[in-house]
Amino acid sequence: MEVLSASRRALIAALALSLTACPKAPSRTDGRDTSVDEPSGRPRVEVKADATADAALAQARAESQANPDKKKAAEAYLAVRKAYPATTAGQDALYNAGVLYFEAKDYANARRTFNELIFENPLYDQAEDAKHKMALSAMEVGAYRDAYQTLTSLAERAEGAKKEQLLKEAARAAEGAGLYSQALSTAVKEAGDAQTPEDRAAAVKKVEQLVEGRADFIDVARAQEGLSSSNPAWPVLQFKLARIYYHLRDWTRLEETLQRFLREAPDSSFAPQAKELLARATRRVEVRPRTVAVLLPMTGRYQPIGEAVLRGVKLGLQGSDIELVVKDTQGDVNKTGQAMEQLAFDDGAIAALGPLLVDDTKRAALLAEELQVPLLTLSRQEGITDIGPYVFRNMLTNSAQARAIADYAMNVKGLKKFAVLYPNIPYGVELANEFWDEVVARGGAVRGAEAYTHDQTTFTSEAKRLVGRYYLEDRGDWAEAVRDVQGENITDAYRRRKAMEKARSGVEPIVDFEGLFIPDDWRRVSLVTPALAVEDIVTNACDPRDLERIRKTTGKKDLKTVTLFGTNQWSSPKGRSGLPELLERGGKFVTCSVYVDGFFVDSQRPATQKFVKSYRDAYKEGGGRDPGLLEAIGYDSARIVRQVLEKQRPNTRAAMREAMAGLKDFDGATGRTSFNDKREADKQLFLLSVDNKGVNEINVDKEKAAVRGSGS
């Protein structure tokens, strides 16, 4: 097989583009962004992946990293763009060129480049960042109006600190352009000077239109500063300021602003809303210490996974006096945000569990941090707890799986050299990278990596590449075999072809790896493994009888065996024979493999057995299936919150957060759990081995002790 260069690993993500087609952009029903920097009315340019373009992009990236002159480096990207305009690589090159111009403070070229990118593809995956840098560049060259329109559009879709930053930048742009401030000041003055009720009403109406649709925070604050409460426009401006403070979670200024509003303008048409907003702000600190919320998709396409988690949560809280409030997110990020505000302001929940989905989790985590509500998420999204100290996570992640497999393979089994065969989808690419990092960090080496498309069903080429049988022209032994055939001077075409086929089959595989990591679904794994056997990759190393048969067949006394490793997607339901379908389909080719999971229903761990029995007893009448990872995670998460509430009895959200952060050695269905300094659930995962009788749990501690005892 080929030994990989250091740059090849950096191209794993690029392979994801070259082997798959770009998804067609969904049709827009809400209109295009109409900022001046993004012309509307023309269709976006449809692009496609192209392997040659991807290679050119990779070369340009390498050149740019080596070139300290950012403008020259940008030109290398633009050359790729010019050569391959209708490709994903071409658009990536355009984006990278814009970033380099921006960093070089060449704002005119940065603005032009980003404008071209957004004009062609407003749904480009880095469109938000491109628009942001385009707007900042516009400000630097004096195009304040264009900058203001783009920044305010971005701010409408942003959240938290990012939104606040964008609003501040938009305010700078508006100030530079002189937008709205003079119009608002004029309307306020007109309201104060009006002599008739009709003129006064018209002026106030104009103020309302400006503060609702055009004027920004700075304009409103300036217009309100020093304004007498006797001015008819004062209630409009004061209530608008209150709403802004509410959005910014500036509770002190919000309460001060609303209290003054109700004192000075108790009869205003906005007074009922002001009272409700003040009451809502006050309720944010009113906590019901025995109320816990859970955010799950209970309707819609994700309903089954929401129901699975909820079954576990309810079982975990069974017998307690904890009130559970279920919030249906419907898999909708906006509904998730609404649910977070409701549980904080209206329900008084002391903590919340969930959500599951990536976008929902990000929105919930941002709001949890803003509202200071402890949130125990159940999402796989890496880095979610970095949002802030009120965000916790209890879920099996890709990085945890890669870490567990690498640790077992290297520190228990003593393997040092690996290969990776992965599906070219985000899941496979991420796990390939994570595993690679873990192996290298432990002093090991990844000798090769091959990707395949997500819907592939034959793997002959990939298996050949792993053992160096695909590019035979690069091998000296093949060249020698060809010379031998040619030296025989065979004139018959049929006999010559047969001789070449024999020579090809006689080329020995280069198996210079001891373990092969395949992060894919069990269905695909059962198709991959037979292709490995065809290329003489011996994977059933734990079966002495089969090894002896192979030795006799091949005449090789010293067999190089390879252990297959996988992720929790290797877990499969039982088939007709009672064995896991992975084993039914993969047969002897998957025996002796090892994979990792966050839960194993047949585990001998006492806490896991207790959960499985309780679950079966609770749901047997419904004819339900055995619990899986989702049910177990829901159960453990609920039990963690329950244990904290019952043992430490916190009566504030801050106290609840502190108690959760200190959790150590909670013995649950998914393992003994502690929260680390990043509030991530740290636990020993389930390592599972496959033999001809089924799947068995590996006693990792026992194996480690045996290794230490042998002195290995």
Side-chain angles (χ1 to χ4, degrees), residues 197-480:
E198 292 77 15
D199 290 343
R200 189 180 303 116
V204 171
K205 184 68 174 178
K206 187 175 182 181
V207 171
E208 289 183 17
Q209 291 173 342
L210 287 169
V211 300
E212 289 302 326
R214 301 172 186 175
D216 61 23
F217 178 32
I218 301 298
D219 293 334
V220 175
R222 284 177 176 171
Q224 182 72 339
E225 186 177 6
L227 184 66
S228 171
S229 59
S230 62
N231 188 301
W234 185 87
V236 177
L237 296 170
Q238 187 77 358
F239 187 61
K240 177 65 176 180
L241 282 176
R243 289 163 55 195
I244 292 172
Y245 289 136
Y246 176 82
H247 177 76
L248 296 176
R249 312 301 184 192
D250 189 339
W251 306 114
T252 301
R253 286 191 175 90
L254 170 64
E255 292 178 3
E256 291 173 350
T257 303
L258 288 173
Q259 288 167 355
R260 186 183 176 199
F261 176 91
L262 292 171
R263 284 197 309 270
E264 303 288 346
D267 298 325
S268 167
S269 60
F270 297 112
Q273 297 176 59
K275 291 177 182 178
E276 174 55 31
L277 196 58
L278 182 59
R280 190 172 178 80
T282 304
R283 288 199 301 271
R284 82 186 191 281
V285 295
E286 296 176 357
V287 177
R288 299 173 185 170
R290 309 301 289 176
T291 298
V292 174
V294 60
L295 297 91
L296 296 169
M298 301 309 301
T299 56
R301 61 182 296 193
Y302 300 108
Q303 179 179 350
I305 64 175
E307 290 177 341
V309 174
L310 186 59
R311 287 194 294 271
V313 169
K314 287 183 174 180
L315 186 61
L317 298 180
Q318 193 175 74
S320 74
D321 63 348
I322 295 173
E323 177 188 2
L324 180 66
V325 177
V326 180
K327 296 292 185 182
D328 180 11
T329 65
Q330 299 180 27
D332 183 300
V333 66
N334 294 320
K335 293 188 183 301
T336 299
Q338 295 169 6
M340 274 300 300
E341 295 209 0
Q342 289 170 1
L343 69 87
F345 291 115
D346 303 328
D347 302 312
I350 195 168
L353 306 175
L356 287 162
L357 307 178
V358 171
D359 290 340
D360 292 0
T361 298
K362 184 177 179 181
R363 172 66 68 86
L366 288 168
L367 285 171
E369 193 59 34
E370 288 179 4
L371 302 175
Q372 298 190 335
V373 178
L375 178 72
L376 181 51
T377 74
L378 310 177
S379 169
R380 294 176 183 269
Q381 184 182 6
E382 300 287 351
I384 190 65
T385 63
D386 292 340
I387 286 177
Y390 277 83
V391 183
F392 298 74
R393 188 240 297 284
N394 182 33
M395 176 51 85
L396 179 67
T397 62
N398 291 342
S399 59
Q401 294 189 74
R403 187 163 53 249
I405 283 292
D407 180 71
Y408 176 77
M410 300 183 71
N411 295 336
V412 179
K413 305 304 290 184
L415 308 184
K416 295 296 182 183
K417 295 177 292 184
F418 300 87
V420 182
L421 182 59
Y422 63 97
N424 202 352
I425 55 176
Y427 174 83
V429 172
E430 182 177 333
L431 269 159
N433 278 323
E434 293 283 358
F435 180 74
W436 201 316
D437 287 341
E438 294 294 337
V439 167
V440 173
R442 289 168 170 78
V446 175
R447 305 304 301 270
E450 295 295 339
Y452 53 86
T453 58
H454 73 282
D455 56 352
Q456 197 165 315
T457 56
T458 59
F459 302 89
T460 302
S461 297
E462 288 75 17
K464 286 182 180 295
R465 289 190 183 99
L466 282 174
V467 296
R469 282 177 164 173
Y470 191 82
Y471 300 106
L472 290 178
E473 60 272 15
D474 296 333
R475 293 187 55 169
D477 52 353
W478 167 247
E480 184 177 346

Side-chain angles (χ1 to χ4, degrees), residues 10 30 40 51 82 98 103 118 306 315 317 335 338 384 404 440 443 472 492 589 619 622 631 640 651 662 693 700 710:
D30 55 348
S40 60
K82 183 177 180 180
E103 292 174 349
I118 301 304
L315 186 61
L317 298 180
K335 293 188 183 301
Q338 295 169 6
I384 190 65
V440 173
L472 290 178
D492 182 72
F589 302 114
Y619 297 108
E631 290 88 349
I640 286 171
N651 55 13
K693 295 182 180 179
V700 178
S710 66

Side-chain angles (χ1 to χ4, degrees), residues 111 117 214 311 316 452 502 585 600:
R111 183 187 180 205
L117 174 65
R214 301 172 186 175
R311 287 194 294 271
Y452 53 86
K502 182 178 180 180
R585 298 191 190 186
F600 182 49

Side-chain angles (χ1 to χ4, degrees), residues 579-628:
L579 296 175
E581 287 197 50
L582 169 68
L583 189 56
E584 281 191 350
R585 298 191 190 186
K588 65 180 181 180
F589 302 114
V590 297
T591 59
C592 312
S593 303
V594 174
Y595 67 94
V596 66
D597 207 335
F599 174 71
F600 182 49
V601 72
D602 294 321
S603 172
Q604 296 305 303
R605 300 183 190 183
T608 307
Q609 289 182 323
K610 180 181 178 182
F611 161 67
V612 172
K613 183 180 185 305
S614 298
Y615 186 92
R616 287 170 175 168
D617 290 343
Y619 297 108
K620 62 184 178 182
E621 293 183 2
R625 53 192 292 181
D626 275 350

Side-chain angles (χ1 to χ4, degrees), residues 35-237:
S35 67
V36 175
D37 270 310
E38 184 185 328
S40 60
R42 284 182 56 180
R44 60 167 291 196
V45 174
E46 295 291 340
V47 297
K48 61 183 179 180
D50 181 90
T52 304
D54 291 341
L57 177 62
Q59 180 64 32
R61 184 177 292 114
E63 292 175 6
S64 70
Q65 292 171 349
N67 192 342
D69 187 334
K70 293 183 181 294
K71 292 184 180 180
K72 292 291 185 183
E75 290 173 5
Y77 279 117
L78 290 178
V80 176
R81 159 68 178 178
K82 183 177 180 180
Y84 307 99
T87 66
T88 54
Q91 291 199 340
D92 287 342
L94 195 60
Y95 169 76
N96 287 325
V99 171
L100 288 172
Y101 280 133
F102 182 85
E103 292 174 349
K105 302 187 185 306
D106 186 349
Y107 296 113
N109 274 323
R111 183 187 180 205
R112 174 186 57 77
T113 304
F114 286 129
N115 190 48
E116 182 179 350
L117 174 65
I118 301 304
F119 177 77
E120 289 188 358
N121 186 3
L123 299 179
Y124 179 70
D125 58 3
Q126 294 291 336
E128 296 295 293
D129 183 64
K131 288 181 182 179
H132 187 201
K133 288 183 171 63
M134 179 176 69
L136 296 179
S137 299
M139 271 204 288
E140 294 295 334
V141 298
Y144 292 106
R145 289 178 179 269
D146 295 349
Y148 177 79
Q149 290 178 340
T150 302
L151 288 167
T152 52
S153 175
L154 290 171
E156 290 175 359
R157 301 189 293 272
E159 299 172 342
K162 181 66 175 178
K163 185 178 188 76
E164 187 173 358
Q165 174 194 348
L166 289 167
L167 286 173
K168 289 179 179 178
E169 291 169 349
R172 282 200 297 121
E175 184 176 359
L179 298 172
Y180 308 130
S181 181
Q182 185 175 0
L184 182 58
S185 297
T186 301
V188 170
K189 187 176 185 303
E190 288 176 354
D193 295 342
Q195 298 299 311
T196 67
E198 292 77 15
D199 290 343
R200 189 180 303 116
V204 171
K205 184 68 174 178
K206 187 175 182 181
V207 171
E208 289 183 17
Q209 291 173 342
L210 287 169
V211 300
E212 289 302 326
R214 301 172 186 175
D216 61 23
F217 178 32
I218 301 298
D219 293 334
V220 175
R222 284 177 176 171
Q224 182 72 339
E225 186 177 6
L227 184 66
S228 171
S229 59
S230 62
N231 188 301
W234 185 87
V236 177
L237 296 170

